[in-house]
């Protein structure tokens, strides 16, 4: 009789485990799934704008030096630029653009005896606020205003100063050794969009001297064309 009772108790215990354990595992699985979905939702909200409204920009510019003691010998020279930017909406009529650019800023130094080309390449990080204007709505016309921080990564002087220095040993010449490594300035302009294309004209004025021995600072006039690589589709 005792053996029969023990057998019945073990059978009931085993049956209880078979019922309880699968149900418990199912609850654990449900909890894990809910937590995973919550974490995924937080992750998606945090990076909602990542790769939305990203575009590539290429441009041409004319660069020069303003407020220089040697302005009579300086003239503007053409250059190229390329960059990647991201658009962040801040409100109904205003957006913020940020990105990275590589840009040439070339200047001509001329005299009656020779012509020197001062070539510079900068890595820049521009930040631009774009305000939508209430005209030409079909082209999304925007007023641009922002700041740019730049790091000079390469400079080259094409030409020879010998003829200038022979005629006047005290003459001022630009030497890359005396260039400032960093630049910072502000820019403004106009931009417009048509379908997936962007068109911009901008003017940039730097606050840092190009050459430590001269008062001149860099400025550029730029025309840029951009194309959206990723664009968030409007909700319907």
């Amino acid at each position: 009789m005792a053996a029969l009772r023990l057998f019945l108790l073990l059978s009931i215990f085993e049956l209880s485990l078979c019922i309880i354990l699968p149900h418990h595992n199912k609850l654990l699985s449900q909890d894990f799934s809910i937590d995973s979905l919550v974490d995924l939702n937080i992750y998606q909200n945090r990076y909602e704008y990542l790769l939305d409204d990203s575009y590539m920009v290429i441009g041409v510019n004319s660069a020069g030096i303003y407020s220089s003691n040697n302005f009579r010998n300086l003239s503007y020279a053409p250059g190229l630029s390329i960059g990647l930017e991201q658009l962040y909406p801040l409100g109904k009529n205003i957006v913020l653009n940020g990105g990275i650019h590589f840009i040439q800023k070339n200047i001509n130094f001329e005299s009656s005896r020779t012509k020197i080309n001062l070539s510079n390449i900068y890595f820049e990080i521009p930040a631009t606020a774009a305000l939508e204007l209430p005209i030409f709505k079909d082209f999304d016309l925007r007023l641009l205003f922002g700041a740019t921080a730049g790091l000079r990564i390469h400079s080259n002087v094409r030409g020879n100063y010998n003829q200038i220095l022979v005629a006047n040993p005290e003459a001022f010449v630009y030497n890359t050794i005396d260039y400032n490594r960093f630049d910072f300035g502000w820019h403004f302009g106009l931009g417009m969009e048509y379908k997936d294309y962007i068109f911009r004209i901008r003017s940039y004025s730097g606050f840092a001297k190009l050459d430590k021995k001269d008062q001149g600072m860099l400025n550029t006039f730029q025309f840029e064309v951009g194309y959206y690589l990723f664009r968030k589709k409007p909700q319907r």
Side-chain angles (χ1 to χ4, degrees):
M1 181 65 67
L4 180 60
R5 288 180 179 178
L6 180 60
F7 174 76
L8 290 174
L9 286 175
L10 289 175
S11 299
I12 294 172
F13 178 72
E14 183 178 359
L15 180 61
S16 300
L17 288 178
C18 292
I19 295 174
I20 293 173
L21 285 179
H23 181 69
H24 180 67
N25 290 337
K26 184 178 180 181
L27 289 176
L28 288 177
S29 177
Q30 290 177 346
D31 292 340
F32 175 78
S33 299
I34 293 173
D35 291 341
S36 300
L37 289 174
V38 171
D39 292 341
L40 180 61
N41 187 54
I42 293 174
Y43 178 86
Q44 289 176 339
N45 290 336
R46 184 178 301 171
Y47 301 100
E48 181 178 358
Y49 296 108
L50 186 63
L51 293 183
D52 283 347
D53 299 322
S54 300
Y55 51 93
M56 184 174 77
V57 179
I58 59 174
V60 294
N61 69 76
S62 180
I65 299 177
Y66 72 100
S67 298
S68 171
N69 300 329
N70 305 279
F71 66 92
R72 292 182 179 86
N73 302 108
L74 294 169
S75 62
Y76 286 78
L80 301 173
S81 65
I82 186 170
L84 291 172
E85 293 188 10
Q86 172 77 33
L87 182 149
Y88 302 92
L90 297 181
K92 183 178 179 181
N93 297 319
I94 187 169
V95 297
L96 178 66
N97 302 327
I100 57 173
H101 284 198
F102 290 93
I103 180 171
Q104 288 179 315
K105 297 185 178 182
N106 302 328
I107 306 103
N108 289 327
F109 182 82
E110 303 180 61
S111 73
S112 59
R113 300 178 182 274
T114 187
K115 180 177 180 179
I116 310 294
N117 180 259
L118 312 173
S119 176
N120 305 285
I121 298 177
Y122 281 82
F123 170 75
E124 293 187 338
I125 301 178
T128 307
L131 176 65
E132 184 179 357
L133 298 178
I135 57 175
F136 302 115
K137 290 281 190 176
D138 292 339
F139 295 97
D140 198 11
L141 188 65
R142 295 180 183 272
L143 181 65
L144 311 175
F145 184 83
T148 300
L151 171 67
R152 183 174 56 84
I153 59 177
H154 177 75
S155 290
N156 185 36
V157 176
R158 292 193 291 267
N160 197 321
Y161 285 120
N162 289 342
Q163 294 183 17
I164 298 176
L165 295 175
V166 167
N168 181 10
E170 302 298 324
F172 174 84
V173 294
Y174 285 95
N175 192 327
T176 58
I177 297 176
D178 299 316
Y179 285 5
N180 276 312
R181 176 66 63 181
F182 299 98
D183 191 22
F184 180 80
W186 65 284
H187 59 264
F188 68 94
L190 286 173
M192 60 173 289
E193 294 184 14
Y194 178 72
K195 295 184 178 180
D196 288 334
Y197 293 92
I198 299 169
F199 304 92
R200 294 191 304 213
I201 53 172
R202 293 193 296 167
S203 174
Y204 167 84
S205 297
F207 299 150
K209 299 177 182 178
L210 172 63
D211 192 302
K212 299 172 185 176
K213 308 187 305 298
D214 182 48
Q215 296 298 315
M217 296 162 281
L218 287 168
N219 72 322
T220 59
F221 299 97
Q222 301 169 244
F223 173 73
E224 298 168 307
V225 177
Y227 181 78
Y228 279 97
L229 304 175
F230 304 96
R231 192 165 196 183
K232 187 175 182 179
K233 295 181 180 180
Q235 297 180 355
R236 297 184 181 275

